[in-house]
Amino acid sequence: MESKRMTLAMVAMTVLTAEAFPRMTATRMCHISQYKTLIPSDLRAVQKLRDKYEETMLPIIQKCSKKLLNLRPTVFHFMVHDRLIIVEKKVTLAIHILRNISNPELSTYASKPLDLLVSIRENLRHCVNSRTHRNHHSQHLDHWLKEFNKDKEMESQQCLEEIVILNLFRLLNEDVKCAAYMEVCNKLVQHLSPLQGITTAN
């Protein structure tokens, strides 16, 4: 009898606990809006990485294609869900490049920008998987993804490194911020250029 009472008490406690602390949903974990404004120390770290890259690699920098991270149409021309996927793909590429950087001397400078990008990607993935924004890919997105993957495969590792590092500010200031503004970004770009009204913290 005592054992049955204890079992019932444990079941009741489990139910109460579940009600008091509901499971965190993907929607609640979509915090991409925090990147509307970027932390100055993060931006300085990106600048240091770029400066060091140009200092050490400038003599051997190739004339690589610049369109990979700037494919047309840009993120500003897509709806929110498609935009999140596009930015996630770009950020994932940047993470891969910074994790496998060719010059060991640059690895230290890449660590903080890498941490920032990993955090951004985690938030982007939560947002993509949230119930609020889940839907089918548009044909425009499918075409963009095909072009992105094709161009990525055509570039050498050195060119990918150059493209990513020299375009990190653009990725953060334009693509990530537009994703952070969600629907509002659509309204902003009707009247403003990509960097107007979506400014970096001083």
Side-chain angles (χ1 to χ4, degrees):
M1 187 69 177
E2 186 65 26
S3 175
K4 185 176 181 180
R5 287 179 180 175
M6 290 181 63
T7 301
L8 289 173
M10 291 176 65
V11 171
M13 182 63 71
T14 300
V15 172
L16 289 173
T17 302
E19 291 178 350
F21 302 97
R23 182 177 294 177
M24 182 70 73
T25 63
T27 302
R28 292 184 181 181
M29 297 173 68
C30 179
H31 301 308
I32 195 64
S33 61
Q34 67 184 292
Y35 299 107
K36 290 178 181 178
T37 302
L38 298 171
I39 299 173
S41 59
D42 286 334
L43 295 175
R44 287 194 293 270
V46 172
Q47 184 64 55
K48 286 180 180 178
L49 171 61
R50 178 179 176 131
D51 289 346
K52 191 64 178 177
Y53 178 82
E54 291 180 333
E55 174 188 330
T56 58
M57 304 298 288
L58 189 59
I60 57 174
I61 283 181
Q62 304 178 30
K63 290 185 178 179
C64 303
S65 169
K66 298 297 186 292
K67 73 173 185 174
L68 180 59
L69 292 184
N70 303 301
L71 284 176
R72 301 288 177 176
T74 67
V75 293
F76 303 101
H77 298 95
F78 288 89
M79 298 303 291
V80 172
H81 184 263
D82 289 355
R83 182 187 303 151
L84 292 168
I85 293 173
I86 288 173
V87 178
E88 191 273 334
K89 294 298 182 185
K90 291 184 176 184
V91 170
T92 295
L93 172 63
I95 290 171
H96 173 74
I97 294 302
L98 294 189
R99 279 179 173 166
N100 297 280
I101 207 158
S102 60
N103 187 341
E105 190 177 352
L106 291 171
S107 297
T108 302
Y109 294 87
S111 60
K112 190 165 185 177
L114 182 56
D115 289 342
L116 172 63
L117 290 168
V118 169
S119 177
I120 290 172
R121 183 176 65 175
E122 180 180 356
N123 279 282
L124 285 167
R125 287 180 171 175
H126 287 314
C127 294
V128 168
N129 293 325
S130 70
R131 288 174 297 181
T132 305
H133 297 101
R134 185 182 299 146
N135 54 30
H136 297 294
H137 293 186
S138 70
Q139 290 184 344
H140 294 299
L141 174 60
D142 287 337
H143 175 73
W144 188 96
L145 291 173
K146 287 180 182 178
E147 290 297 311
F148 180 77
N149 289 328
K150 181 181 72 174
D151 290 349
K152 183 173 63 174
E153 292 300 319
M154 291 176 62
E155 296 290 354
S156 67
Q157 183 66 21
Q158 187 175 352
C159 273
L160 286 174
E161 191 172 290
E162 177 184 329
I163 292 167
V164 165
I165 294 176
L166 298 185
N167 281 278
L168 274 181
F169 273 118
R170 180 186 292 273
L171 177 62
L172 294 170
N173 272 318
E174 295 187 17
D175 296 347
V176 170
K177 283 193 175 184
C178 189
Y181 273 87
M182 293 288 191
E183 290 85 352
V184 179
C185 185
N186 292 332
K187 299 176 182 178
L188 287 173
V189 297
Q190 290 176 4
H191 308 287
L192 303 172
S193 66
L195 290 180
Q196 290 178 312
I198 310 180
T199 54
T200 303
N202 294 319

